[in-house]
């Protein structure tokens, strides 16, 4: 078996870029699904309770939110649309009414409201109920700010230079907004416990002041005055994760004018070190974080509006990042989120494309071969049959574009099961279909 694995490893190493790490995230070519008009935001949750993450998309041009249910294998059913306010710009999900089902909150920029759509329990949604916030809300997030066990709302208001806090009354209805000043043109808001007191704080990306504001939670859902940290030009989106492994949430901010993502490491007390920036594509609009390569460290995905790409930046393991690797998506991507859509344990990507009125799905196919020919795909410290299965899966799917064979599939011999005979089919496929002297038939 080890000899077979070594042969497969050598074949693979000759066809894929080398790496010093055991895992490389390699995403399939994107598949597009229709949404509404000008989809500006996408989020994911299991709306119908089948254990698979579905999609919710805020459509700026059609004043609705699209729900795309996961078919169970990482493909999606046609969108079903629900009306919201005017020019919806951002969508998030949480169980607002405590029934165990994820509901929706949508920030409507033109009507200066947030729409709440309660889940009926089967992935369909009730009519939207609207709550007033500040002027031109562009971003909404949710966390339990007052410690009552119910998710509240935070909304970034571009024209009023504020963030609105709406406390959950306990039944999925919300109290009137309380506003806190931040920087100029706050475009994005996220939440994490930055100072380690067990209470979620806020981070806000301020587009026109090239800064990110930190608002510490006083412990009761009210917030201290904003403290700002400089980033590069045009901060458009902010997310949080523990990038350096010290147990404290750090920040990642995409800068739409500078074409960079800035990393601000948490000093351990909710203050932040100076930003360190990394290049991405042109016109980055959105950033999310997940462990794409399976090394236990959060990586970055950035949607590049002007390049029609998403950039993947791998964490080097200490909170610094490797150079961006780009994957094509739809036209003018504006928002990116991550979830395991196909149930293989690896985070995939969903990207909202405003000019193609679509959502792109990119499935993560992790390659497990490095410079040493390591084929321990399952990290079990031994090369065994499960590693062979992973290699066959990766090669048949991820390398299919290099061949003319339309039937490239993990079940290479069409026997209905993935087994050792599929390796023979794989080698046959590679040596014949990929040979320079053997043109595709």
């Amino acid at each position: 078996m080890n000899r077979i694995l070594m042969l497969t490893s050598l074949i693979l190493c000759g066809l894929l870029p080398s790496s010093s790490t055991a895992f490389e995230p390699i995403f399939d070519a994107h598949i597009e699904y229709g949404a509404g008009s000008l989809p500006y935001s996408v989020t994911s949750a299991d709306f119908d309770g089948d254990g698979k993450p579905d999609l919710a998309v805020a459509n700026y041009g059609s004043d609705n939110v699209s729900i795309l249910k996961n078919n169970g294998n990482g493909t999606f059913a046609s969108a079903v649309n629900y009306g919201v306010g005017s020019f919806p710009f951002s969508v998030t999900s949480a169980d607002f009414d405590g029934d165990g089902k994820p509901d929706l909150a949508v920030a409507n920029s033109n009507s200066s409201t947030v729409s709440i759509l309660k889940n009926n329990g089967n992935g369909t949604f009730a009519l939207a109920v609207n709550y007033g916030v500040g002027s031109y809300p562009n971003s909404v997030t949710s966390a339990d700010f007052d410690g009552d066990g119910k998710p509240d709302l935070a909304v970034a208001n571009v024209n009023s230079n504020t963030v609105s806090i709406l406390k959950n009354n306990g039944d999925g209805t919300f109290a009137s907004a309380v506003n806190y000043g931040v920087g100029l043109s706050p475009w994005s808001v996220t939440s994490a416990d930055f100072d380690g007191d067990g209470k979620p704080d806020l981070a806000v990306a301020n587009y026109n002041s090239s800064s990110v504001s930190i608002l510490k939670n006083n412990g009761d859902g009210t917030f201290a005055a904003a403290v700002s940290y400089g980033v590069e030009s045009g901060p458009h989106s902010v997310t949080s994760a523990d990038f350096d492994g010290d147990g404290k949430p750090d920040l990642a901010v995409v800068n739409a004018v500078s074409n960079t993502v800035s990393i601000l490491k948490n000093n351990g007390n909710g203050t932040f070190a100076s930003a360190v920036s990394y290049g991405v594509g042109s016109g980055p609009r959105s950033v999310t974080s997940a462990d794409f390569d399976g090394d236990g460290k959060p990586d970055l995905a950035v949607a590049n509006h002007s390049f029609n790409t998403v950039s993947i930046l791998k964490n080097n393991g200490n909170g610094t990042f490797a150079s961006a690797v780009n994957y094509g998506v739809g036209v003018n991507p504006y928002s990116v989120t991550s979830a395991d859509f196909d149930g293989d344990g690896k985070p995939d990507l969903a990207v909202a494309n405003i000019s193609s009125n679509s959502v792109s799905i990119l499935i993560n196919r992790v390659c497990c071969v490095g410079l040493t020919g390591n084929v321990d795909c399952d990290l079990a410290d031994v090369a065994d049959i499960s590693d062979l299965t992973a290699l066959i899966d990766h090669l048949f799917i991820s390398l299919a574009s290099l061949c003319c064979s339309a039937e490239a599939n993990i079940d290479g011999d069409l026997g209905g099961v993935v087994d050792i005979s599929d390796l023979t089919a794989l080698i046959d496929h590679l040596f014949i279909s990929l040979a320079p002297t053997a043109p595709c038939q």
Side-chain angles (χ1 to χ4, degrees), residues 196-397:
D197 66 353
K199 301 292 183 179
D201 309 302
L202 296 174
V204 181
N206 306 301
Y207 188 86
N208 282 334
S209 52
S210 298
S211 67
V212 60
S213 294
I214 302 298
L215 294 87
K216 291 190 180 180
N217 193 328
N218 293 322
D220 57 358
T222 63
F223 290 84
V227 176
S228 294
Y229 298 84
V231 289
E232 294 198 0
S233 183
H236 200 275
S237 175
V238 58
T239 195
S240 179
D242 179 15
F243 297 123
D244 57 2
D246 67 352
K248 301 292 184 179
D250 309 302
L251 295 174
V253 183
V254 291
N255 307 296
V257 178
S258 301
N259 299 327
T260 58
V261 58
S262 294
I263 303 299
L264 295 86
K265 291 188 180 180
N266 194 327
N267 292 323
N269 59 357
T271 64
F272 290 84
S274 297
V276 177
S277 297
Y278 299 85
V280 291
S282 178
R285 293 294 193 269
S286 176
V287 59
T288 194
S289 179
D291 180 15
F292 296 119
D293 58 0
D295 66 352
K297 302 292 185 178
D299 309 301
L300 296 174
V302 178
N304 303 305
H305 177 262
S306 302
F307 263 18
N308 301 332
T309 61
V310 60
S311 294
I312 302 297
L313 294 86
K314 285 180 56 181
N315 193 327
N316 292 323
N318 59 358
T320 64
F321 289 83
S323 297
V325 176
N326 298 319
Y327 295 86
V329 291
V331 182
N332 298 137
Y334 208 89
S335 175
V336 59
T337 194
S338 179
D340 180 14
F341 297 123
D342 60 355
D344 67 352
K346 298 185 284 286
D348 309 304
L349 295 173
V351 182
N353 309 297
I354 61 175
S355 294
S356 50
N357 297 327
S358 66
V359 175
S360 292
I361 301 298
L362 295 87
I363 299 298
N364 189 346
R365 307 290 183 190
V366 172
C367 170
C368 49
V369 176
L371 285 175
T372 61
N374 180 10
V375 291
D376 184 21
C377 300
D378 58 6
L379 298 181
D381 293 325
V382 63
D384 53 25
I385 191 66
S386 67
D387 299 307
L388 173 61
T389 301
L391 283 172
I392 294 172
D393 186 10
H394 177 75
L395 282 170
F396 270 112
I397 296 174

Side-chain angles (χ1 to χ4, degrees), residues 382-426:
V382 63
D384 53 25
I385 191 66
S386 67
D387 299 307
L388 173 61
T389 301
L391 283 172
I392 294 172
D393 186 10
H394 177 75
L395 282 170
F396 270 112
I397 296 174
S398 297
L399 294 183
S401 62
L402 296 178
C403 316
C404 64
S405 176
E407 70 273 10
N409 186 282
I410 183 172
D411 183 20
D413 61 0
L414 302 181
V417 62
V418 178
D419 54 25
I420 195 67
S421 68
D422 294 307
L423 176 59
T424 303
L426 168 62

Side-chain angles (χ1 to χ4, degrees), residues 6-324:
M6 183 60 69
L7 174 60
T8 310
S9 174
L10 290 172
I11 294 171
L12 183 59
C13 287
L15 292 171
L16 294 180
S18 295
S19 170
S20 60
T21 61
F23 287 82
E24 288 292 338
I26 299 177
F27 291 87
D28 283 354
H30 72 106
I31 298 174
E32 290 190 52
Y33 297 87
S37 175
L38 302 180
Y40 267 68
S41 177
V42 60
T43 194
S44 179
D46 180 14
F47 297 122
D48 56 3
D50 66 352
K52 302 292 185 178
D54 309 300
L55 297 174
V57 183
N59 303 303
Y60 184 89
S62 48
D63 294 342
N64 57 25
V65 60
S66 296
I67 302 297
L68 294 85
K69 291 189 180 180
N70 193 327
N71 293 323
N73 59 357
T75 65
F76 290 84
S78 298
V80 177
N81 299 321
Y82 298 85
V84 291
S86 178
F87 295 177
F89 211 99
S90 175
V91 58
T92 195
S93 178
D95 179 16
F96 297 123
D97 56 4
D99 66 353
K101 302 292 184 179
D103 309 301
L104 295 174
V106 181
N108 307 299
S109 57
N110 195 51
S111 52
S112 297
T113 60
V114 171
S115 295
I116 302 297
L117 296 86
K118 291 188 180 180
N119 193 328
N120 292 323
N122 59 357
T124 65
F125 290 84
L127 294 176
V129 177
N130 298 319
Y131 297 86
V133 290
S135 177
Y136 211 83
N138 261 17
S139 177
V140 57
T141 194
S142 179
D144 180 16
F145 297 122
D146 56 3
D148 66 353
K150 302 292 183 178
D152 308 302
L153 295 175
V155 183
N157 306 300
V158 173
N159 287 348
S160 50
N161 299 326
T162 59
V163 61
S164 295
I165 302 298
L166 294 86
K167 291 189 180 181
N168 193 326
N169 293 322
D171 57 358
T173 64
F174 290 83
S176 298
V178 177
N179 299 317
Y180 297 85
V182 289
L184 299 178
S185 303
W187 211 271
S188 175
V189 59
T190 194
S191 178
D193 180 15
F194 297 122
D195 56 2
D197 66 353
K199 301 292 183 179
D201 309 302
L202 296 174
V204 181
N206 306 301
Y207 188 86
N208 282 334
S209 52
S210 298
S211 67
V212 60
S213 294
I214 302 298
L215 294 87
K216 291 190 180 180
N217 193 328
N218 293 322
D220 57 358
T222 63
F223 290 84
V227 176
S228 294
Y229 298 84
V231 289
E232 294 198 0
S233 183
H236 200 275
S237 175
V238 58
T239 195
S240 179
D242 179 15
F243 297 123
D244 57 2
D246 67 352
K248 301 292 184 179
D250 309 302
L251 295 174
V253 183
V254 291
N255 307 296
V257 178
S258 301
N259 299 327
T260 58
V261 58
S262 294
I263 303 299
L264 295 86
K265 291 188 180 180
N266 194 327
N267 292 323
N269 59 357
T271 64
F272 290 84
S274 297
V276 177
S277 297
Y278 299 85
V280 291
S282 178
R285 293 294 193 269
S286 176
V287 59
T288 194
S289 179
D291 180 15
F292 296 119
D293 58 0
D295 66 352
K297 302 292 185 178
D299 309 301
L300 296 174
V302 178
N304 303 305
H305 177 262
S306 302
F307 263 18
N308 301 332
T309 61
V310 60
S311 294
I312 302 297
L313 294 86
K314 285 180 56 181
N315 193 327
N316 292 323
N318 59 358
T320 64
F321 289 83
S323 297

